[in-house]
Amino acid sequence: MGSGKAGLAALTMVHEEDFFLERWVKHWRRHIPAKHIYIINHGDSPAVSRIARECTIIRLPYDQTKKSVNQRRWQILSLHASALTSYFDWVICNDVDEIVLLDPKIKQSLPEYLAKIAEREHVPPAITPFAIEMVHVPEIEADALTPEDPILGKRRCYRLNSNYAKPCILGRPMEFKAGGHGGNHKEIYVDPHLYNFHLRFIDFEYSMSRFAKSLERRLAGKTEEEVKSMKKGGWAWVSVEKTFRSLSKQLPIKETIDHPDFRRKMLEERILRPPFTLMGGGRPKGNYRLPERFNGII
């Protein structure tokens, strides 16, 4: 594997997510050529062309019906990512609020590290990074985020959430489950040094504003009874906001990124939903604090 291929590519799909796209593109520009950064621009927003200049942009019209939008979105990503594996050793495909990082204690670049895996006698069809879901705790992280400054350092609190241990580094064609939370490869390889940082809770003010705007859009045109039903039923964004409010008040238990028991549990309790396999382990209670060596890398 790897002979004659171009190394590493990154792929995402966006719709009005400039805050995260700016950081996602900035991260990948440090590791790979701009032309190897692929962005599916759902709705053809002009901001994407500005933020991702020189990157490879694929334009799609916005689907006003929003019918099965998440399932269709991940079907599109599955097809594009799978096609790119014919030309690249590895294709990292995830949401724009997720960034794959190599532990700084490993003295290689991310492309170099993945190239070594591609040279092994047995190469896994996909790599699953360990999930780190960042959580802004304003009580101990008072500094505001700015576009110029790194995120990590100002933000170091996180929780464990196996949903985001995704098989997002593809070496062969694969079909993703909706959300990218699983794939149709039977073989699971969780790398010991790679992490998928999920950033949706990275800033309290920004996240709450985002939740409010989404709620307003979803409730537009609904009857009073429909609104009550959605809120009572724990509809997605209402539930997510409640979760974040609770997490944002929890001080970290300890400073570590080593969770051997949870890593083992993710694999031992893996979830089979044919044809997909998902990580087990769920979302244990408690926040943790990243070791200082991660400061500044995104």
Side-chain angles (χ1 to χ4, degrees):
M1 181 178 177
S3 177
K5 293 188 180 181
L8 176 63
L11 168 68
T12 195
M13 184 171 178
V14 296
H15 176 68
E16 297 180 353
E17 296 170 288
D18 299 354
F19 175 91
F20 292 116
L21 182 62
E22 287 175 350
R23 289 155 177 81
W24 189 89
V25 168
K26 184 178 180 180
H27 170 70
W28 287 115
R29 282 184 186 277
R30 290 198 294 263
H31 291 288
I32 56 179
K35 64 183 180 180
H36 294 173
I37 302 171
Y38 291 79
I39 299 159
I40 300 175
N41 184 3
H42 183 203
D44 199 14
S45 166
V48 173
S49 297
R50 173 182 57 81
I51 295 168
R53 61 191 181 283
E54 299 177 0
C55 299
T56 303
I57 300 173
I58 302 161
R59 295 173 172 83
L60 288 181
Y62 187 66
D63 181 2
Q64 297 292 343
T65 69
K66 301 180 184 177
K67 183 179 179 181
S68 304
V69 64
N70 197 38
Q71 289 82 353
R72 292 168 62 196
R73 180 170 176 269
W74 281 94
Q75 288 170 356
I76 291 168
L77 285 168
S78 295
L79 291 168
H80 278 274
S82 293
L84 289 172
T85 63
S86 296
Y87 299 92
F88 294 91
D89 289 329
W90 300 107
V91 179
I92 298 182
C93 176
N94 52 16
D95 279 323
V96 74
D97 64 353
E98 297 168 10
I99 293 180
V100 172
L101 295 178
L102 177 65
D103 193 318
K105 73 181 181 182
I106 304 300
K107 302 307 179 184
Q108 291 175 297
S109 69
L110 177 57
E112 289 170 343
Y113 183 81
L114 290 173
K116 288 296 183 182
I117 296 178
E119 293 171 358
R120 294 177 183 175
E121 183 176 348
H122 175 72
V123 181
I127 300 171
T128 299
F130 190 74
I132 298 292
E133 183 162 44
M134 299 301 293
V135 175
H136 183 202
V137 181
E139 181 179 341
I140 58 173
E141 297 177 332
D143 291 344
L145 294 179
T146 64
E148 299 78 23
D149 297 330
I151 291 173
L152 300 187
K154 287 185 174 181
R155 303 288 186 267
R156 290 174 63 183
C157 296
Y158 71 95
R159 74 159 173 171
L160 299 174
N161 185 348
S162 66
N163 284 350
Y164 296 94
K166 300 179 177 182
C168 60
I169 308 175
L170 279 67
R172 301 177 206 164
M174 183 172 73
E175 180 184 355
F176 286 110
K177 186 182 184 302
H181 299 294
N184 65 344
H185 289 164
K186 292 183 179 179
E187 180 183 344
I188 303 297
Y189 173 67
V190 181
D191 189 89
H193 303 301
L194 291 171
Y195 297 90
N196 188 30
F197 276 69
H198 186 217
L199 305 178
R200 67 173 170 176
F201 296 151
I202 200 65
D203 186 78
F204 188 84
E205 295 300 329
Y206 172 76
S207 295
M208 286 302 167
S209 172
R210 189 180 181 214
F211 298 156
K213 289 177 182 177
S214 179
L215 183 61
E216 183 180 351
R217 285 197 301 268
R218 291 298 182 98
L219 296 183
K222 302 290 185 185
T223 66
E224 185 176 342
E225 286 302 314
E226 286 174 328
V227 170
K228 286 181 180 179
S229 176
M230 289 174 72
K231 290 185 175 181
K232 184 178 179 181
W235 172 73
W237 282 103
V238 175
S239 177
V240 169
E241 179 184 347
K242 183 179 178 181
T243 296
F244 183 33
R245 283 190 184 277
S246 174
L247 289 170
S248 69
K249 298 172 184 176
Q250 299 178 28
L251 299 181
I253 298 168
K254 65 177 179 178
E255 183 174 311
T256 184
I257 202 166
D258 300 319
H259 300 278
D261 291 341
F262 186 67
R263 284 179 176 270
R264 186 165 52 251
K265 191 174 183 181
M266 281 177 15
L267 290 167
E268 290 176 351
E269 298 181 5
R270 69 182 69 182
I271 302 166
L272 300 178
R273 293 180 181 169
F276 305 112
T277 303
L278 294 76
M279 291 293 91
R283 296 178 289 274
K285 292 182 180 179
N287 288 336
Y288 296 86
R289 183 174 168 88
L290 287 173
E292 197 169 324
R293 68 179 183 269
F294 285 85
N295 287 1
I297 60 174
I298 54 172

